[in-house]
Amino acid sequence: MPYELIEGLPSTHGDHYPLNTTTLIRHAARTYPEQEVVYRTGGGDWDRYTYADCFDRVKRAAKVLRELGVGPGDVVGILDWNSKRHFELYWAIPGLAAVMLQMNLRLAPTDLGYVTSHSGASTVLVDESLLSVAEELAPHAPGVRTWVVMSDRPLSEIETSLPNVMHFEDLMQTAHADIDLPLIEESSAYSACYTSGTTGKPKGVYYSHRGIYLHAMAQAATLSMDIEDAVMLITPMFHGQSWGLPQSAVFSAAKIVLPGRYAASETSVLVETMVAERVTVANGAPAIFQPMLDHIATMDDKPDFHRLRLLSGATEPALAMMRGFAELTGARVVHAYGATETTPFVAVNRSKPVLDSCLTDAERWDLMRSQGLPVCGVDIRLVDAQGNDLPHDGVAQGEVLVRGPWIIERYHNIADDADRFLDGWWRSGDMGRIDGNGYLKLTDRIKDVIKSGGEWISSIDMENAIVSHPEVVEAAVIAVPHPQWQERPLALVVTRDGQEIPTSVIHRLLADSFAKWQLPDDIVYVDRLPRTSVGKLDKKALRAQYAGSAQLLS
Amino acid sequence: MPYELIEGLPSTHGDHYPLNTTTLIRHAARTYPEQEVVYRTGGGDWDRYTYADCFDRVKRAAKVLRELGVGPGDVVGILDWNSKRHFELYWAIPGLAAVMLQMNLRLAPTDLGYVTSHSGASTVLVDESLLSVAEELAPHAPGVRTWVVMSDRPLSEIETSLPNVMHFEDLMQTAHADIDLPLIEESSAYSACYTSGTTGKPKGVYYSHRGIYLHAMAQAATLSMDIEDAVMLITPMFHGQSWGLPQSAVFSAAKIVLPGRYAASETSVLVETMVAERVTVANGAPAIFQPMLDHIATMDDKPDFHRLRLLSGATEPALAMMRGFAELTGARVVHAYGATETTPFVAVNRSKPVLDSCLTDAERWDLMRSQGLPVCGVDIRLVDAQGNDLPHDGVAQGEVLVRGPWIIERYHNIADDADRFLDGWWRSGDMGRIDGNGYLKLTDRIKDVIKSGGEWISSIDMENAIVSHPEVVEAAVIAVPHPQWQERPLALVVTRDGQEIPTSVIHRLLADSFAKWQLPDDIVYVDRLPRTSVGKLDKKALRAQYAGSAQLLS
């Protein structure tokens, strides 16, 4: 434990009535047995059942797993879309004190094999539509002894090269719901999710029952969710547990809507279902919401989404998209901040009554694009390059550090994670500011920041300033190694006509926001900037290409 | 620990980032520094300050206490109304890992002395208006070495016989806010409250930081409270921490309204303040709300309270009062259930969408008077006289047992509390039913129930049935000891004209709801029934008077 804890007098609440996820689903099923779970089947049809029926199947699934030999501490993998069975396994596996491994079906077979083997999973449940993923994975996951296929079709109709495959629904048919799910030590792992690992191997985050439970309560309270909400889970349940929304929705006894597998061409299906089921909360990246808005723009009768909150993460939503949803449908895009390591809720954007009267319309929209206000329970700090605290004044920029009951304190079974933590705080790798009203605004990734003379220079701020010149099409500012200053900024600029701009003009553009020592020593004009497969500036490639240029510049 | 816990795989959330109440107030002050705390001063004026200013005073108060020698595990008593300083001490005392003793200023000096001595409190802070209570208490609390008076007036103007009194505001003036409140082991006691103890000595409930924190989140989520709420604390902060509303309000960053000391004649002040501060949540017993409604009935311009939830506890609210608030103001009376031992939120009434279409207006109002739906996190069981589980079918009546993270597992430092617990569940002493929709309805106190032949007979149900006879004015059913059946019911009846009613007629009234063996063997006609000082039937007196009658009856 990285904290020094002071002990007071023992309380009469006792030590430890445990926070278990089973409590959430059992409470919902007992108190709101009539509430609905709506789901899309493998065939593309929509169907529904009640919380009571769902919990009955949860218990039967737990019985099935126990009969397959799954016990406390065992790891069980799932390869599935946001389906009804996936949702049941969310409660059945952890209900046995086993660990649900979230298997990202978009990973390469070798990476997914690494994740599966590193977790020690010996049982994997796979949706029929993903058998090919499992078959490619199998050679890279030799520890998996039991494969269970989930399908509405009988086993005899399913073809697969997986060895000794069992059929989930066959097992369910003979299983009874007469199982008492145990009380579980709350620091036990509920599920495991591995970071995508842009650098190095994926790293394992093992969420505790306690962390998931507290996150569910905090999220439900922060989003004011209740039984009259209908929550559509669009963000994959196989990564970051769909941002914790399945659990907060059940805590709130909200209606659940599971879209299953849907193709990019089926945006209209999502929108129609949101209308039909009166969805009030949905989650996703801006890349999911933008096609929805495009579709809505073509509709004659615009849907009335005035109760809908679109919980948006991963990247900053575009202003035009936020305004578009508001103007066409009344829906609010709610920008939230978090990471795999943070369960993920760290901050969420919401307007404050105190600001209503003092912001212009443009300022308010700009604020809505920020990462928002910290969620109660999570501590946020900004630190400089030396780890010193920075003020929350809207000016000082530093790395965002986070700690709290649902923030990791280490990675699973790896030796060298010390650089990701500072005194028990998790280092997000994000650089940002916090203003006097408490709003967090990310400005850069630390890895893209220029570390010069023991200080940091934000590459993105500098890029934005340079791009404000009318002749500049795009710009990238990268760090190049420097013998005296460690790193120096180098600006790569694409101009409209290929002409260079005098350095003094660029420096004048930067003078307002940057100190003199922070200005780039030289500017390189290029025809175009390299981009990654998802369209982001490929700064890694640029850094490699220009690594030797500091000597030239100095 | 009364639970067997299964251990799974260790999580990477770590063991134990602690749930501390300091997190709640610090988060609120940092993220919503502008939010207001409105309070009534000792002089009767209203004033206000911000969360930021409040937290500054909280830290200074902690500094003052530390300089007075208060440290982890020490108990500090408070004698005060729902005042600004009381609110600050709610965070300052537990922030040091010390225990805040809630001192019920309505207790007799000997009882309050017992509570103070049993808790081991050595420091007591007392509002100037309550010096006489402290002076009467002092001889019964010899362990108190430090008395601190809280007043806006200077010490020189304050007269008291208490020895070596210090002056809170004098100490605050020289204290700085530069204190780092420690991280506290979460099972440490946050505060202590003693049961009123109708039988025997008061019993100590010592709430943990963890229990208070979880209760705050659950209450905030259940009541959908947020920054746009304004919460008026009417229920005393000196008993059951005003039902946990101070903490859930701070979790939600709601505006706080502290009415201080107000006389019964000042109901109009409460109503005016609710209007002026746009109060949306207030708590109290029906005995507090009824005079408010009476006052509102006299107002020409009825206040618009459509956002107001009146959180009502202790006894069932009268239907006429609930309807009156709804019809005159739009306010909802929200009936909740709990006890000192349960922090107190166990159940809270709310309507379910599924019932909207299938209940008559009368049925809906009747349902709104029930204790409502369990709060997520709390487990509720009904058991019969042998401790066997009873179904939640709306018919079976049993004792309500409760367990969960904010329910006590023992009383503080007493030896003989085993009869109040069953397998780790707290025995509420309440008898009730739970229907298929999850609604809890209390029917009786177990001590008033007749235990006959190993089964229970509800006295209140039987009384209600007898009173339905047009000639009956009132009735009491009590248990009388019986050599063979342990207890038998005896009905005491007052009729309009003093005439007796044939026993067969009474038995016919009871036939629908009671088995034959449950019917009272005899009925005694009396002129009047004894009542306690607060107007309740004095069944204790009746049981004593008729203890010998079973021999006669059998």
Side-chain angles (χ1 to χ4, degrees):
Chain A
M1 194 178 308
Y3 319 107
E4 191 204 349
L5 297 183
I6 304 296
E7 266 193 65
L9 209 64
S11 74
T12 58
H13 277 153
D15 293 330
H16 208 164
Y17 180 85
L19 306 179
N20 283 187
T21 55
T22 301
T23 301
L24 306 181
I25 188 72
R26 187 172 48 211
H27 174 264
R30 275 199 140 183
T31 310
Y32 304 94
E34 73 283 359
Q35 183 60 285
E36 290 178 326
V37 179
V38 180
Y39 56 91
R40 199 167 186 221
T41 64
D45 301 322
W46 290 90
D47 209 341
R48 64 188 64 230
Y49 66 159
T50 65
Y51 270 25
D53 293 338
C54 173
F55 188 48
D56 187 75
R57 275 182 56 94
V58 165
K59 286 186 285 185
R60 284 161 60 200
K63 201 78 173 280
V64 163
L65 291 165
R66 186 176 278 176
E67 280 162 17
L68 289 176
V70 172
D74 290 342
V75 178
V76 179
I78 306 177
L79 267 173
D80 199 358
W81 314 97
N82 289 7
S83 77
K84 165 192 165 182
R85 294 189 191 94
H86 201 162
F87 185 74
E88 292 161 0
L89 292 168
Y90 254 54
W91 312 99
I93 298 170
L96 294 170
V99 184
M100 173 179 72
L101 176 65
Q102 302 180 38
M103 297 176 73
N104 186 337
L105 50 92
R106 305 226 162 85
L107 285 186
T110 47
D111 278 344
L112 195 52
Y114 171 83
V115 164
T116 310
S117 299
H118 188 269
S119 75
S122 59
T123 302
V124 172
L125 295 104
V126 50
D127 185 71
E128 184 190 0
S129 65
L130 293 165
L131 276 173
S132 61
V133 175
E135 286 159 2
E136 283 190 79
L137 163 67
H140 303 283
V144 177
R145 289 184 304 273
T146 308
W147 297 92
V148 183
V149 65
M150 301 185 287
S151 170
D152 293 332
R153 298 196 302 158
L155 189 57
S156 56
E157 293 179 19
I158 296 169
E159 271 185 53
T160 176
S161 63
L162 291 174
N164 310 317
V165 169
M166 299 209 251
H167 190 272
F168 184 69
E169 292 300 336
D170 283 355
L171 299 168
M172 286 286 278
Q173 254 180 356
T174 55
H176 287 281
D178 60 340
I179 182 172
D180 273 333
L181 296 174
L183 287 175
I184 300 164
E185 170 56 53
E186 68 186 31
S187 64
S188 300
Y190 156 89
S191 90
C193 180
Y194 281 68
T195 61
S196 319
T198 46
T199 54
K201 287 283 180 199
K203 291 193 284 292
V205 175
Y206 283 55
Y207 305 98
S208 67
H209 276 266
R210 170 188 170 95
I212 291 286
Y213 188 113
L214 291 167
H215 185 269
M217 288 176 89
Q219 191 169 61
T222 303
L223 298 179
S224 293
M225 280 157 59
D226 72 12
I227 187 180
E228 309 216 20
D229 278 298
V231 178
M232 183 185 251
L233 305 173
I234 303 178
T235 300
M237 288 164 68
F238 56 71
H239 195 76
Q241 58 275 333
S242 196
W243 303 349
L245 214 51
Q247 292 94 357
S248 60
V250 165
F251 173 86
S252 313
K255 180 162 80 172
I256 311 274
V257 183
L258 299 163
R261 180 188 197 176
Y262 65 92
S265 61
E266 293 181 301
T267 293
S268 63
V269 175
L270 290 186
V271 174
E272 281 158 24
T273 305
M274 284 171 135
V275 172
E277 300 298 339
R278 298 173 196 219
V279 167
T280 58
V281 178
N283 58 2
I288 299 290
F289 293 142
Q290 183 63 51
M292 276 190 200
L293 181 62
D294 297 341
H295 172 73
I296 288 166
T298 69
M299 294 169 74
D300 287 336
D301 286 331
K302 304 286 183 262
D304 174 3
F305 283 161
H306 74 278
R307 283 186 67 210
L308 176 63
R309 292 93 90 194
L310 294 169
L311 200 60
S312 167
T315 55
E316 267 187 33
L319 192 55
M321 188 185 86
M322 298 178 77
R323 295 187 84 124
F325 269 110
E327 284 160 13
L328 296 187
T329 71
R332 272 179 297 144
V333 175
V334 177
H335 188 204
Y337 170 59
T340 305
E341 288 89 340
T342 62
T343 307
F345 241 41
V346 169
V348 61
N349 203 309
R350 60 168 310 173
S351 62
K352 277 188 179 193
V354 70
L355 298 176
D356 282 351
S357 55
C358 42
L359 293 186
T360 65
D361 194 53
E363 283 170 337
R364 186 163 25 245
W365 280 109
D366 193 51
L367 191 64
M368 294 301 280
R369 291 183 66 208
S370 79
Q371 281 67 25
L373 300 168
V375 173
C376 187
V378 178
D379 294 335
I380 298 191
R381 265 168 85 187
L382 291 180
V383 296
D384 65 16
Q386 285 76 41
N388 300 313
D389 278 303
L390 292 170
H392 296 188
D393 58 5
V395 177
Q397 289 185 60
E399 185 174 2
V400 178
L401 306 193
V402 201
R403 71 171 183 186
W406 55 84
I407 313 296
I408 59 163
E409 293 182 356
R410 62 174 174 271
Y411 290 91
H412 182 68
N413 279 357
I414 60 171
D416 55 343
D417 65 356
D419 64 325
R420 300 300 307 277
F421 298 92
L422 179 68
D423 305 332
W425 296 70
W426 178 68
R427 306 190 81 123
S428 69
D430 289 313
M431 183 144 158
R433 292 187 272 261
I434 299 176
D435 71 18
N437 287 308
Y439 286 85
L440 170 69
K441 174 76 178 180
L442 296 192
T443 53
D444 219 335
R445 287 288 294 168
I446 288 289
K447 67 179 165 52
D448 294 332
V449 156
I450 296 101
K451 292 102 184 165
S452 188
E455 303 279 347
W456 285 334
I457 307 172
S458 164
S459 61
I460 290 181
D461 280 1
M462 198 169 276
E463 287 158 10
N464 288 339
I466 295 173
V467 168
S468 72
H469 189 286
E471 285 304 304
V472 173
V473 179
E474 55 178 349
V477 176
I478 59 166
V480 290
H482 188 281
Q484 185 182 357
W485 301 109
Q486 188 184 2
E487 290 179 354
R488 290 294 300 155
L490 172 69
L492 299 145
V493 176
V494 181
T495 54
R496 214 163 291 279
D497 55 5
Q499 294 291 307
E500 296 191 6
I501 299 164
T503 300
S504 61
V505 172
I506 299 288
H507 279 193
R508 261 202 305 280
L509 286 172
L510 301 174
D512 274 359
S513 313
F514 293 90
K516 208 159 174 202
W517 65 266
Q518 295 181 315
L519 300 181
D521 301 301
D522 207 352
I523 295 155
V524 176
Y525 289 84
V526 292
D527 290 342
R528 55 177 205 86
L529 294 170
R531 296 204 170 261
T532 66
S533 59
V534 295
K536 285 190 178 178
L537 269 181
D538 191 348
K539 293 197 171 179
K540 210 168 153 186
L542 286 173
R543 278 196 299 268
Q545 187 181 347
Y546 290 92
S549 50
Q551 271 83 346
L552 303 173
L553 300 171
S554 66
Chain B
M1 194 178 309
Y3 319 108
E4 191 203 351
L5 297 184
I6 304 295
E7 266 193 66
L9 208 64
S11 74
T12 58
H13 277 153
D15 294 330
H16 208 162
Y17 181 86
L19 306 178
N20 282 185
T21 56
T22 301
T23 301
L24 305 181
I25 187 73
R26 188 172 48 211
H27 174 265
R30 275 198 138 185
T31 310
Y32 304 93
E34 73 282 359
Q35 184 58 287
E36 291 179 326
V37 179
V38 179
Y39 57 91
R40 198 166 187 222
T41 65
D45 301 322
W46 290 90
D47 210 339
R48 63 187 67 228
Y49 66 159
T50 65
Y51 269 26
D53 293 338
C54 173
F55 188 48
D56 187 77
R57 275 183 57 94
V58 166
K59 287 186 285 185
R60 285 161 60 199
K63 201 77 174 280
V64 163
L65 291 165
R66 187 176 277 177
E67 280 162 15
L68 288 176
V70 172
D74 290 342
V75 178
V76 179
I78 306 177
L79 267 173
D80 198 357
W81 314 96
N82 290 6
S83 78
K84 164 192 165 183
R85 294 190 191 93
H86 200 162
F87 185 73
E88 293 161 1
L89 293 167
Y90 253 55
W91 312 98
I93 297 170
L96 294 169
V99 185
M100 172 179 72
L101 176 66
Q102 302 180 39
M103 297 176 73
N104 187 337
L105 50 90
R106 305 228 162 85
L107 285 186
T110 47
D111 279 343
L112 196 51
Y114 171 83
V115 163
T116 310
S117 299
H118 188 268
S119 75
S122 59
T123 303
V124 172
L125 295 104
V126 51
D127 185 72
E128 185 190 359
S129 65
L130 293 165
L131 277 172
S132 62
V133 175
E135 287 159 2
E136 282 189 81
L137 163 67
H140 303 283
V144 178
R145 288 184 304 273
T146 308
W147 296 92
V148 182
V149 66
M150 300 185 287
S151 170
D152 294 331
R153 298 195 302 158
L155 189 58
S156 57
E157 292 179 18
I158 297 169
E159 272 186 53
T160 175
S161 64
L162 292 173
N164 311 318
V165 170
M166 297 207 255
H167 189 273
F168 184 70
E169 293 299 336
D170 284 355
L171 299 169
M172 286 286 277
Q173 255 181 354
T174 56
H176 287 281
D178 60 341
I179 183 172
D180 272 334
L181 296 173
L183 287 176
I184 301 164
E185 170 56 54
E186 68 186 33
S187 63
S188 301
Y190 155 90
S191 90
C193 181
Y194 281 69
T195 61
S196 319
T198 46
T199 52
K201 286 286 181 196
K203 290 193 284 293
V205 176
Y206 283 54
Y207 305 98
S208 66
H209 276 267
R210 170 187 169 95
I212 291 286
Y213 188 113
L214 292 168
H215 184 269
M217 286 176 90
Q219 191 170 61
T222 304
L223 298 177
S224 293
M225 281 159 56
D226 73 11
I227 187 180
E228 308 215 21
D229 278 299
V231 179
M232 183 185 250
L233 304 173
I234 302 178
T235 301
M237 288 165 66
F238 56 71
H239 195 76
Q241 57 277 330
S242 194
W243 302 349
L245 214 51
Q247 291 94 358
S248 60
V250 165
F251 173 86
S252 313
K255 180 161 80 172
I256 311 275
V257 183
L258 300 163
R261 179 186 197 175
Y262 64 93
S265 61
E266 293 182 299
T267 293
S268 62
V269 174
L270 290 186
V271 175
E272 281 158 25
T273 305
M274 285 171 134
V275 172
E277 300 296 339
R278 299 171 193 218
V279 167
T280 58
V281 178
N283 58 2
I288 299 291
F289 294 142
Q290 184 62 52
M292 276 191 201
L293 181 63
D294 296 343
H295 172 72
I296 289 166
T298 69
M299 293 168 75
D300 289 334
D301 287 330
K302 303 287 184 258
D304 175 3
F305 283 162
H306 75 277
R307 287 186 63 210
L308 177 63
R309 294 93 90 195
L310 294 168
L311 200 61
S312 167
T315 54
E316 266 187 36
L319 193 55
M321 188 186 83
M322 297 179 78
R323 296 188 83 125
F325 269 109
E327 285 158 15
L328 296 187
T329 72
R332 273 179 296 144
V333 175
V334 177
H335 187 204
Y337 170 59
T340 305
E341 287 88 341
T342 63
T343 309
F345 240 44
V346 169
V348 61
N349 203 309
R350 59 168 310 169
S351 62
K352 278 188 180 194
V354 71
L355 298 176
D356 282 352
S357 56
C358 43
L359 293 186
T360 66
D361 193 53
E363 284 169 336
R364 185 160 30 241
W365 280 109
D366 193 50
L367 190 64
M368 294 300 280
R369 291 184 66 209
S370 79
Q371 280 67 24
L373 300 168
V375 174
C376 185
V378 178
D379 294 335
I380 298 190
R381 264 169 84 186
L382 291 180
V383 296
D384 67 15
Q386 285 76 40
N388 300 313
D389 277 303
L390 292 170
H392 296 186
D393 59 5
V395 176
Q397 288 185 62
E399 185 174 4
V400 178
L401 307 193
V402 200
R403 71 173 182 184
W406 55 84
I407 313 297
I408 60 164
E409 293 182 357
R410 61 173 175 272
Y411 291 91
H412 182 68
N413 278 356
I414 60 172
D416 54 343
D417 64 358
D419 64 325
R420 299 302 305 279
F421 298 91
L422 180 69
D423 305 331
W425 296 69
W426 178 67
R427 307 190 80 122
S428 69
D430 289 313
M431 181 144 162
R433 293 188 271 262
I434 299 176
D435 70 20
N437 286 307
Y439 285 84
L440 169 70
K441 174 76 178 180
L442 296 192
T443 53
D444 218 336
R445 287 288 296 167
I446 288 289
K447 65 179 167 52
D448 293 333
V449 156
I450 296 100
K451 290 103 185 165
S452 188
E455 303 278 348
W456 285 335
I457 306 171
S458 165
S459 62
I460 290 181
D461 281 0
M462 198 169 277
E463 287 158 10
N464 287 340
I466 296 172
V467 167
S468 71
H469 189 285
E471 286 303 305
V472 172
V473 178
E474 55 179 349
V477 176
I478 59 167
V480 289
H482 188 282
Q484 183 180 359
W485 302 108
Q486 188 185 3
E487 292 180 354
R488 288 295 300 155
L490 172 68
L492 300 143
V493 177
V494 181
T495 54
R496 215 164 289 280
D497 55 5
Q499 294 291 309
E500 296 191 7
I501 299 164
T503 300
S504 61
V505 172
I506 298 287
H507 279 192
R508 262 203 304 282
L509 286 173
L510 301 176
D512 274 356
S513 313
F514 293 91
K516 207 159 177 202
W517 65 266
Q518 295 181 316
L519 300 181
D521 302 298
D522 208 351
I523 295 156
V524 176
Y525 290 84
V526 293
D527 290 341
R528 57 178 203 87
L529 294 171
R531 298 205 169 257
T532 68
S533 59
V534 293
K536 285 189 178 176
L537 269 182
D538 192 348
K539 293 198 171 177
K540 210 168 152 186
L542 285 173
R543 279 197 298 270
Q545 188 182 346
Y546 290 94
S549 49
Q551 271 82 345
L552 302 174
L553 299 171
S554 66

